[in-house]
């Protein structure tokens, strides 16, 4: 059994849901995914190199890294841990700041993000999972 695509709760194929089908994705889908994942950061670096000194400088790089870190914390700590899993509690100001930070990631509003993520945990790698790479 392929370790990368197996569910940790299913020890062998006999325990798997017979209605659940895992088909191997064609090469064109893997190439499209790779293109979509790797080309934006490569394009960003190329644009920064080409525009260095005439539109991009150290201030822009610091702002990019600062806002990127802010939004990542908003999604991981705010949307994921605090709002979806309720793994931590915070005051209203901290909740507001983390909700704004997560919303700046352009992944949708906090209530929609939490609903989809809870559905993902409820149906992990089965029908109904919005994030399953198998379906």
């Amino acid at each position: 059994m392929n370790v990368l695509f197996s569910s940790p709760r299913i020890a062998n194929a006999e325990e798997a849901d017979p209605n659940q089908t895992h088909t191997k994705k064609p090469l064109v889908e893997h190439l499209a995914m790779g293109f979509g994942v790797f080309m934006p950061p490569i394009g960003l670096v190329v644009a920064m190199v080409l525009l260095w000194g005439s539109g991009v400088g150290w201030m822009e790089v610091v702002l990019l890294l600062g806002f990127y870190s802010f939004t990542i914390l908003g999604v991981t700590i705010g949307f994921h841990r605090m709002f979806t899993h309720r793994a931590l509690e915070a005051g209203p100001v901290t909740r507001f700041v983390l909700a704004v930070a997560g919303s700046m990631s352009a992944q949708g509003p906090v209530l929609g993000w939490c609903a989809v993520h809870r559905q993902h945990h409820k149906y992990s790698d089965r029908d109904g999972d919005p994030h399953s790479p198998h379906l």
Side-chain angles (χ1 to χ4, degrees), residues 19-83:
N19 296 326
Q20 183 179 0
T21 59
H22 297 289
T23 59
K24 191 169 184 173
K25 303 260 187 223
L27 179 62
V28 70
E29 286 191 37
H30 287 286
L31 292 174
M33 184 205 54
F35 185 82
V37 168
F38 294 111
M39 286 310 291
I42 291 170
L44 175 66
V45 170
V46 169
M48 288 173 64
V49 168
L50 293 175
L51 295 172
W52 192 262
S54 66
V56 176
W58 288 112
M59 177 62 80
E60 289 76 22
V61 172
V62 168
L63 286 171
L64 170 73
L65 295 175
F67 280 114
Y68 182 76
S69 299
F70 183 63
T71 58
I72 290 297
L73 291 174
V75 171
T76 57
I77 295 173
F79 278 22
H80 189 241
R81 290 289 167 204
M82 187 167 61
F83 294 115

Side-chain angles (χ1 to χ4, degrees), residues 108-121:
V110 65
L111 292 177
W113 197 98
C114 291
V116 168
H117 194 71
R118 285 179 181 164
Q119 184 178 14
H120 162 66
H121 279 289

Side-chain angles (χ1 to χ4, degrees), residues 1-23:
M1 182 180 244
N2 188 343
V3 176
L4 293 176
F5 295 110
S6 64
S7 173
R9 294 177 302 206
I10 299 174
N12 58 41
E14 289 76 29
E15 295 177 19
D17 182 4
N19 296 326
Q20 183 179 0
T21 59
H22 297 289
T23 59

